[in-house]
Amino acid sequence: MPKQVDHHERRQQIAAAVCRLAATRGLEGVSLRHVAAEAGVSMGRIQHYFKTKDEMLLFAFGTISERVEHRVAQAVATLPQPPDARSLVRALLVEMMPVGAHARAEMPMWIAFFARAVVEPRMADPLREGTRALHAFVAEQVGKACSDGESAADPAREAEILLALADGLMMRLMVGGIEADAALAALDHQLDRAFGSPDRG
């Protein structure tokens, strides 16, 4: 019997190599040849799955996005059920910041992808879609707090502020401009403003 080929596993192997190279060398170090060497596979195998560098980057970006979604789901599962709106948003935003080991390893790839998207419009499409979805989710959760009488905030505006804060804290954490505890305190301060201060006992 011929050996079954797990194409998903192979693509994930390549995506992992892309992320490692982006984290250590930046996007200039992510070529089809370099990725093949990092993944321990032939150039032919890389080209079987990805014809261009941008195709490879888009897949790697999608892989990281799926990992973040999985970690958010895990974090939400540990919350008292059903979780309140503020806790849901906090779980999401914390995973957007490099405060955990997995997030710290992935953030250089995110930043490198953002930089590429500035000059390559096709690469910006998933970022725009993802940002719209994030904004809609956060605004919805703030809106729930408003309807429950916990907050009088403007949901759309507070969503913009929270996402901008998370992005800014992510960058500062990456370059050592702020400690993780201080970053989380800043996030909690803004969450209190948007949702109302929770009873932390």
Side-chain angles (χ1 to χ4, degrees):
M1 291 281 297
K3 184 178 179 180
Q4 293 291 322
V5 176
D6 189 334
H7 294 289
H8 177 74
E9 182 179 348
R10 286 186 173 180
R11 287 165 69 90
Q12 292 295 324
Q13 177 188 6
I14 293 168
V18 171
C19 294
R20 290 194 299 271
L21 286 173
T24 56
R25 301 187 188 181
L27 284 190
E28 63 274 12
V30 181
S31 66
L32 297 179
R33 177 172 59 84
H34 289 144
V35 171
E38 178 69 21
V41 300
S42 68
M43 271 285 290
R45 177 164 301 175
I46 297 291
Q47 292 172 322
H48 174 75
Y49 294 108
F50 306 104
K51 301 304 181 187
T52 67
K53 174 177 176 175
D54 282 351
E55 283 184 13
M56 194 167 56
L57 290 173
L58 282 167
F59 180 78
F61 180 78
T63 297
I64 291 179
S65 297
E66 290 172 1
R67 291 176 189 169
V68 172
E69 289 173 5
H70 179 68
R71 290 201 300 273
V72 170
Q74 288 181 314
V76 169
T78 67
L79 298 172
Q81 300 296 316
D84 60 84
R86 183 189 188 280
S87 296
L88 284 173
V89 172
R90 189 182 193 278
L92 170 65
L93 297 181
V94 167
E95 285 302 333
M96 290 173 57
M97 296 159 50
V99 294
H102 291 294
R104 282 195 300 272
E106 293 165 358
M107 280 304 123
M109 176 62 191
W110 279 88
I111 294 170
F113 192 92
F114 292 161
R116 179 73 170 172
V118 171
V119 296
E120 177 49 63
R122 189 168 71 97
M123 303 290 282
D125 289 342
L127 291 178
R128 283 193 294 268
E129 293 170 7
T131 298
R132 282 194 290 266
L134 283 173
H135 181 270
F137 175 79
V138 175
E140 179 185 11
Q141 300 309 312
V142 177
K144 288 180 180 178
C146 292
S147 64
D148 291 340
E150 299 171 7
S151 172
D154 178 329
R157 181 176 299 169
E158 294 302 329
E160 292 287 8
I161 294 171
L162 283 165
L163 291 173
L165 175 64
D167 284 342
L169 291 172
M170 175 187 75
M171 298 297 292
R172 292 189 65 198
L173 283 162
M174 286 301 300
V175 299
I178 189 172
E179 296 296 326
D181 287 348
L184 291 173
L187 177 62
D188 281 326
H189 176 80
Q190 187 59 35
L191 285 167
D192 289 351
R193 180 180 178 278
F195 288 92
S197 181
D199 180 6
R200 294 194 174 100

